[in-house]
């Protein structure tokens, strides 16, 4: 376990404005980290925010847009998920643009980079800016090169500037040339940071001779050759941030699936940005339980099923999914999002498709969504849409067999092949057609509001469409995000997270989402069956491997909600249907809280908007959190909720060494206070529940709250050992009452009954209190 980090408070950087002296030809490579089962010792915390000050969660992520879009960067694809888990939000900034003034921003925690030889127009000015960031007390983590050896005009970088920045970061560099890894050997490796998913093996990657400075901690030391007097420190953390040498963060093989962390990104970011005392807004948990949600993209709605019982009967796949995977599971909510051109009689809708929609939408466990009207494949094609440009593709649409899924299945395959040939090009091209259906020019209003109207016309009166599920490359642009927000819709899709034998790394688990202008796109928590089945060409059984991802994103740390995400075409093949049912049975066997997809989308968006404001020592008020209702405190064995100092807190649960604090959705600005464990003056409080609990009033022997959800309303509360309690449920003409006895640990376990699609009010009262209140 690494020693506690010591600050080097004497190291301040004076930005030297002189040029042309002390130049160096060294390129400095700084990289990232990986995940390890071993715990990391408590680290020096970031300076506590003064009362009334924002708790900094933002990390400015520097990238070069000339090398590709931000969603294709290593920062977004690999590092941002661990950062999100630690409560951090990346704010991307293009290095080609003027550098931001962040010194006075109290919401910014630091800066991160992960590039090779970044093309900075003025390296000296960049180093001066970075010096200002460090002097303002912000932290910096560099992954890849800090600056190129020379600028674009061949001028060497000022060595004195460089040395000052590096010293503040905790490293020094000598003038040695890059060392060939063939003769290098690992001298020391911190097992809490190094070798998490993949060990370092010879020959080692090239590196520059860097050494830690006093006050910094080296997590990886390499001797460049046998008998060499010096060792290179290639992974370093200190009071101002962290450094990892290039190619020592993440192993990248020839194939896209060959990605594995060499070092622990969670532990590295934890040390570099001092996140131990940062409350973590948590998107995985609600009411003390791991979240479960499910959503269906409407692709293949009208495909005729070949599944055993339906083959030869001309039954469409949407009907099969209804009868086999939705109607038998009233305890599991699912969001059904058709491509509305499949339902619209003016496009390709027929009565069989519309009848299936009406029957699906009538079920109480079905939430309404839309998968757009025409299913864009390449959203970027439509950002600056010109109908005449799309006209060139019209002859190709005519070959699509009336727009049936079989007609455009090949488009997904062709686009995927292009992606496989260039792993860094994560957007579809418009090489074949830019969308599935094109009977009319593209219209944002039809894709969003128009598709919502079609869905709602087929639904019971008053049932509303709540979410849009992005299609194709899942890269919507700002205008369509604005239309989505104006329609009051949540949004989801993108990310395609997997963590299994084919994709054996946290590097394939996506972040919570991405920013698009002033809006946030929320990624789905897991990938769908398309990636498991070779893009619906083979291995139709393979979606049955989803539980491996569900389990590996739960343990040894919970990083993702449980999500079963699929398409209507899963009803077309018997093997695919069997795999889907296997996944739903897995869900039933686990202790989860099932919610609607729109609810998860609001939780995901709330992660980005949440503001934490210091209200005193170990006390915070929570603002602008949207649907997010859980704060997590890691390594919290010695901490507990201070109930007297808290407001709007309805419960807490310890899990995996963390303290999960449940907030009341009815309280706009809750206050969370922590004290020493074990807590004192604890009221009767929620531990975990299958139903969502809110509008809650807590007292020492009495609770009054509202709850609702899917399936059996089982829940657990913490009371006094051996104490008798009376539970009263108001869900009908007359209240229901029953008695519960707390076990030896003080735990009350009971159920409020079957599914409560409409929330019910209930109370828990100590028997003596209940008798006193009886008429």
């Amino acid at each position: 376990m690494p020693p506690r980090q010591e600050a080097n408070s004497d190291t301040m950087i004076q930005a030297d404005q002189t040029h042309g002296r002390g130049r160096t030809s060294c390129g400095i490579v700084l990289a990232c980290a990986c995940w390890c089962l071993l715990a990391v010792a408590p680290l020096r915390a970031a300076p506590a925010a003064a009362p009334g000050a924002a708790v900094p969660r933002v990390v400015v992520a520097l990238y070069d847009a000339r090398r590709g879009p931000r969603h294709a960067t290593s920062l977004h694809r690999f590092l941002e998920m661990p950062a999100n888990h630690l409560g951090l939000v990346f704010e991307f900034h293009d290095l080609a643009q003027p550098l931001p003034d962040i010194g006075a921003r109290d919401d910014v925690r630091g800066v991160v980079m992960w590039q090779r030889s970044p093309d900075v127009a003025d390296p000296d000015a960049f180093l001066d800016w970075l010096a200002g960031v460090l002097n303002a007390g912000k932290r910096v983590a560099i992954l890849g090169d800090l600056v190129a050896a020379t600028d674009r005009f061949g001028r060497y970088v000022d060595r004195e500037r460089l040395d000052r920045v590096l010293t503040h970061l905790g490293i020094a560099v000598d003038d040695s040339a890059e060392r060939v890894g063939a003769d290098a050997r690992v001298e020391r490796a911190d097992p809490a940071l190094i070798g998490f998913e993949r060990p370092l093996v010879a020959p080692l990657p090239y590196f520059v001779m860097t050494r830690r400075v006093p006050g910094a901690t080296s997590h990886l030391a390499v001797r460049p050759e046998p008998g060499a007097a010096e060792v290179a420190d290639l992974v370093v953390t200190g009071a101002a941030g962290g450094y990892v040498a290039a190619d020592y963060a993440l192993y990248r093989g020839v194939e896209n699936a060959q990605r594995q962390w060499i070092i622990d990104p969670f532990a590295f970011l934890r040390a570099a940005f001092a996140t131990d005392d940062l409350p973590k807004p948590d998107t995985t948990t609600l009411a003390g339980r791991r979240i479960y949600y499910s959503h269906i993209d409407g692709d293949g709605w009208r495909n005729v099923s070949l599944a055993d019982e339906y083959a030869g009967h001309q039954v469409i796949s949407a009907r099969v999914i209804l009868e086999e995977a939705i109607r038998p599971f009233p305890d599991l909510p699912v969001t059904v999002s058709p491509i509305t051109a499949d339902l619209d009689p003016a496009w390709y809708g027929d009565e069989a498709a519309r009848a299936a929609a009406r029957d699906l939408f009538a079920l109480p466990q079905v939430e309404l969504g839309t998968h757009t009207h025409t299913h864009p494949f390449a959203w970027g094609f439509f950002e600056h849409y010109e109908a005449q440009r799309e006209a060139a593709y019209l002859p190709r649409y005519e070959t699509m067999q009336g727009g049936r899924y079989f007609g455009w299945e090949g488009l997904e395959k062709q686009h995927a092949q292009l992606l496989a040939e260039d792993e860094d090009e994560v957007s579809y091209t418009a090489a074949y057609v830019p969308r599935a259906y094109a009977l009319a020019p593209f219209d944002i209003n039809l894709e969003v509001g128009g598709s919502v109207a079609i869905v709602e016309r087929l639904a019971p009166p008053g049932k509303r469409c709540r979410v849009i599920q992005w299609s194709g490359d899942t890269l919507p642009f700002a205008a369509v995000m604005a239309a989505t927000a104006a329609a009051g819709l949540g949004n989801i899709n993108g990310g395609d997270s997997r963590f299994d034998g084919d994709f054996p790394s946290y590097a394939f688990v996506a972040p919570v989402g991405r920013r698009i202008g002033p809006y946030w796109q929320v990624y789905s928590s897991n990938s769908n069956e398309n990636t498991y089945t070779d893009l619906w060409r083979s291995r139709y059984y393979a979606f049955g491997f989803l539980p491996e991802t569900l389990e590996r994103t739960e343990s040894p740390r919970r990083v993702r909600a449980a999500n079963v995400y699929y398409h209507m075409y899963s009803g077309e093949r018997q093997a695919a249907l069997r795999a889907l049912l296997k996944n739903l049975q897995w869900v039933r066997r686990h202790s989860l809280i099932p919610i609607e997809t729109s609810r998860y989308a609001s939780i995901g968006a709330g992660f980005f908007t949440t503001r934490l404001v210091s209200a005193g020592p170990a006390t915070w008020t929570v603002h602008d959190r949207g649907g997010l209702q859980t704060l997590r405190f890691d390594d919290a064995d010695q901490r507990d909720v201070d109930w007297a100092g808290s407001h709007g807190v309805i419960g807490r649960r310890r899990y995996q060494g963390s303290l999960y604090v449940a907030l009341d959705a009815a309280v706009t600005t809750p206050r969370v206070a922590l004290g020493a464990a074990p807590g004192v003056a604890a009221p009767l409080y929620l531990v975990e529940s299958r139903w969502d609990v809110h509008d809650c009033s807590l007292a020492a022997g009495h609770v009054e709250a509202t709850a609702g959800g899917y399936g059996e309303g089982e829940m657990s509360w913490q009371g006094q050992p051996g104490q008798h309690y009376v539970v009263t449920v108001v869900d009908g003409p007359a209240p229901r009452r029953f008695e519960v006895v707390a076990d030896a640990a003080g735990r009350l376990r009971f159920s409020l009954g079957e599914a409560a699609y409409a929330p019910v009010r209930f109370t828990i009262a100590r028997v003596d209190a209940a008798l006193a209140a009886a008429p």
Side-chain angles (χ1 to χ4, degrees):
M1 299 177 71
R4 180 179 299 272
Q5 306 300 294
E6 299 296 337
N8 185 0
S9 58
D10 295 332
T11 306
M12 294 294 287
I13 299 178
Q14 304 298 322
D16 188 349
Q17 300 301 316
T18 62
H19 294 264
R21 64 176 187 176
R23 304 286 178 172
T24 180
S25 59
C26 285
I28 302 304
V29 184
L30 308 167
C32 168
C34 174
W35 199 88
C36 183
L37 298 179
L38 295 178
V40 178
L43 303 165
R44 178 177 293 275
V55 176
R57 296 179 57 216
V58 173
V59 174
V60 176
L62 301 177
Y63 78 107
D64 190 343
R66 293 165 296 186
R67 299 184 181 184
R70 61 190 176 198
H71 64 262
T73 62
S74 295
L75 286 168
H76 181 68
R77 295 171 65 192
F78 308 132
L79 193 65
E80 192 168 3
M81 184 280 290
N84 289 169
H85 179 73
L86 294 171
L88 303 174
V89 175
F90 279 5
E91 179 183 296
F92 283 84
H93 182 85
D94 182 5
L95 277 170
Q97 302 301 316
L99 293 166
D101 183 6
I102 62 175
R105 282 180 54 180
D106 62 2
D107 63 326
V108 172
R109 201 172 195 87
V111 172
V112 65
M113 285 180 65
W114 191 354
Q115 285 192 27
R116 276 196 173 278
S117 301
D119 184 9
V120 179
D122 187 342
D124 288 344
F126 173 70
L127 291 172
D128 288 344
W129 174 82
L130 205 58
V133 168
L134 289 163
N135 281 335
K138 314 298 183 185
R139 291 172 172 259
V140 175
I142 306 296
L143 298 87
D145 294 340
L146 174 57
V147 292
T150 60
D151 65 16
R152 65 185 59 173
F153 303 107
R155 297 175 299 197
Y156 285 120
V157 173
D158 186 291
R159 176 58 184 266
E160 292 184 10
R161 278 184 168 83
L162 181 61
D163 284 347
R164 291 191 187 107
V165 170
L166 294 178
T167 299
H168 205 124
L169 285 177
I171 60 173
V173 61
D174 65 21
D175 291 322
S176 302
E178 287 190 342
R179 301 299 181 123
V180 178
D183 295 326
R185 293 293 182 269
V186 174
E187 184 80 6
R188 296 185 306 276
D190 178 357
L193 268 171
I194 308 301
F196 162 54
E197 292 174 343
R198 186 182 183 90
L200 271 174
V201 295
L204 299 181
Y206 287 78
F207 58 89
V208 170
M209 287 295 294
T210 50
R211 293 173 289 100
R212 74 171 185 89
V213 300
T217 300
S218 172
H219 303 278
L220 175 64
V222 172
R223 196 169 299 279
E225 58 190 10
E230 298 283 342
V231 296
D233 297 307
L234 301 183
V235 179
V236 175
T237 58
Y243 150 76
V244 185
D247 298 324
Y248 285 82
L250 185 73
Y251 169 79
R252 305 173 192 240
V254 176
E255 301 295 330
N256 183 48
Q258 294 176 322
R259 297 282 185 273
Q260 285 186 302
W261 288 103
I262 297 169
I263 61 174
D264 180 345
F266 302 98
F268 174 75
L269 291 172
R270 174 190 170 192
F273 290 105
T275 63
D276 276 9
D277 291 333
L278 174 66
K280 283 82 172 174
D282 190 279
T283 64
T284 70
T285 304
L286 180 67
R289 284 194 176 192
R290 187 186 190 186
I291 290 169
Y292 165 76
Y293 69 100
S294 179
H295 60 303
I296 311 174
D297 290 347
D299 312 41
W301 189 285
R302 296 181 294 116
N303 287 11
V304 173
S305 179
L306 305 175
D308 292 352
E309 294 183 21
Y310 301 93
H313 297 286
Q314 297 299 300
V315 180
I316 62 173
S317 292
R319 175 67 61 179
V320 174
I321 292 296
L322 163 63
E323 300 299 342
E324 301 292 334
I326 297 180
R327 198 188 299 277
F329 295 87
D331 52 326
L332 299 182
V334 59
T335 302
V336 177
S337 296
I339 305 166
T340 53
D342 279 328
L343 306 179
D344 187 348
W347 286 65
Y348 298 106
D350 57 24
E351 184 51 33
R354 294 166 65 81
R358 282 190 289 267
D359 292 346
L360 280 161
F361 298 165
L363 294 177
Q365 71 267 37
V366 170
E367 180 183 50
L368 308 186
T370 175
H371 196 41
T372 75
H373 189 72
T374 68
H375 195 290
F377 291 119
W379 282 93
F381 181 90
F382 300 101
E383 185 169 10
H384 306 289
Y385 180 68
E386 297 177 357
Q388 61 270 28
R389 183 176 169 219
E390 190 181 19
Y393 296 92
L394 293 181
R396 301 178 184 179
Y397 286 110
E398 294 173 3
T399 68
M400 291 169 55
Q401 304 177 35
R404 292 177 67 249
Y405 178 75
F406 284 129
W408 48 273
E409 176 183 358
L411 307 179
E412 298 275 13
K413 296 173 185 175
Q414 181 178 356
H415 291 156
Q417 181 61 37
L418 291 170
L419 295 182
E421 292 170 0
D422 184 356
E423 63 190 30
D424 290 325
E425 176 50 63
V426 297
S427 176
Y428 286 90
T429 71
Y432 195 71
V433 292
R435 53 182 170 149
Y437 304 129
L439 294 186
F442 178 81
D443 180 359
I444 288 179
N445 294 324
L446 178 60
E447 299 297 334
V448 181
S451 67
V452 167
I454 292 170
V455 167
E456 292 181 348
R457 282 198 295 268
L458 295 170
K463 194 168 187 178
R464 298 292 176 237
C465 184
R466 300 296 184 189
V467 66
I468 187 169
Q469 296 173 196
W470 302 116
S471 62
D473 63 5
T474 64
L475 293 172
F477 48 89
V480 74
M481 292 293 293
T484 297
L489 299 175
N491 80 93
I492 199 166
N493 279 353
D496 274 334
S497 293
R498 287 182 62 176
F499 193 176
D500 53 35
D502 290 336
F503 298 90
S505 174
Y506 281 104
F508 299 102
V509 180
V512 175
R514 71 182 185 108
R515 186 162 192 157
I516 307 170
Y519 309 102
W520 292 100
Q521 174 186 352
V522 177
Y523 289 158
S524 56
S525 301
N526 294 122
S527 188
N528 57 61
E529 81 279 51
N530 202 35
T531 70
Y532 288 83
T533 59
D534 192 22
L535 305 168
W536 203 240
R537 291 181 293 190
S538 64
R539 302 202 323 156
Y540 298 109
Y541 60 86
F543 193 41
F545 299 137
L546 171 66
E548 185 175 0
T549 291
L550 297 176
E551 291 162 3
R552 294 179 76 171
T553 54
E554 168 70 1
S555 180
R557 66 180 73 202
R558 180 182 292 170
V559 297
R560 271 291 170 271
N563 171 216
V564 177
Y565 165 34
Y566 58 104
H567 297 83
M568 280 299 180
Y569 54 68
S570 273
E572 178 190 317
R573 304 277 181 166
Q574 183 64 35
L577 184 60
R578 189 179 297 116
L580 172 59
L581 295 178
K582 173 185 175 183
N583 294 335
L584 296 178
Q585 293 295 350
W586 183 95
V587 172
R588 274 186 165 173
R589 292 194 302 272
H590 287 77
S591 179
L592 306 169
I593 178 168
I595 64 172
E596 305 86 355
T597 302
S598 66
R599 181 76 187 277
Y600 176 77
S602 71
I603 290 170
F607 169 82
F608 295 107
T609 59
T610 293
R611 294 187 301 111
L612 303 169
V613 176
S614 175
T619 304
W620 305 267
T621 54
V622 188
H623 305 255
D624 305 327
R625 71 188 190 278
L628 187 141
Q629 306 300 345
T630 300
L631 288 184
R632 191 186 80 250
F633 297 86
D634 293 337
D635 301 294
D637 290 345
Q638 304 305 314
R639 296 189 287 180
D640 207 344
V641 173
D642 175 358
W643 296 99
S646 298
H647 169 67
V649 174
I650 64 175
R652 62 89 159 151
R653 187 181 190 182
R654 295 189 183 279
Y655 183 65
Q656 296 175 340
S658 296
L659 181 69
Y660 287 79
V661 177
L663 307 178
D664 192 338
V667 177
T668 303
T669 310
R671 181 176 64 251
V672 179
L674 296 185
V680 296
L684 187 62
Y685 63 84
L686 179 68
V687 178
E688 50 89 13
S689 172
R690 182 183 173 93
W691 289 2
D692 186 23
V693 178
H694 57 90
D695 197 9
C696 190
S697 173
L698 303 180
H702 185 271
V703 168
E704 185 174 354
T706 298
Y710 300 85
E712 193 75 18
E714 58 197 25
M715 56 182 62
S716 174
W717 293 74
Q718 184 65 39
Q720 296 301 314
Q723 177 68 52
H724 290 239
Y725 295 85
V726 173
V727 179
T728 303
V729 185
V730 182
D731 59 355
R736 294 186 289 114
R737 291 186 176 87
F738 54 90
E739 187 170 313
V740 182
V741 181
D743 64 18
R747 194 67 55 87
L748 292 77
R749 295 180 175 87
F750 58 88
S751 172
L752 294 182
E754 296 293 334
Y757 302 120
V760 301
R761 195 72 179 161
F762 72 99
T763 61
I764 310 171
R766 210 172 45 228
V767 166
D768 54 352
L771 292 175

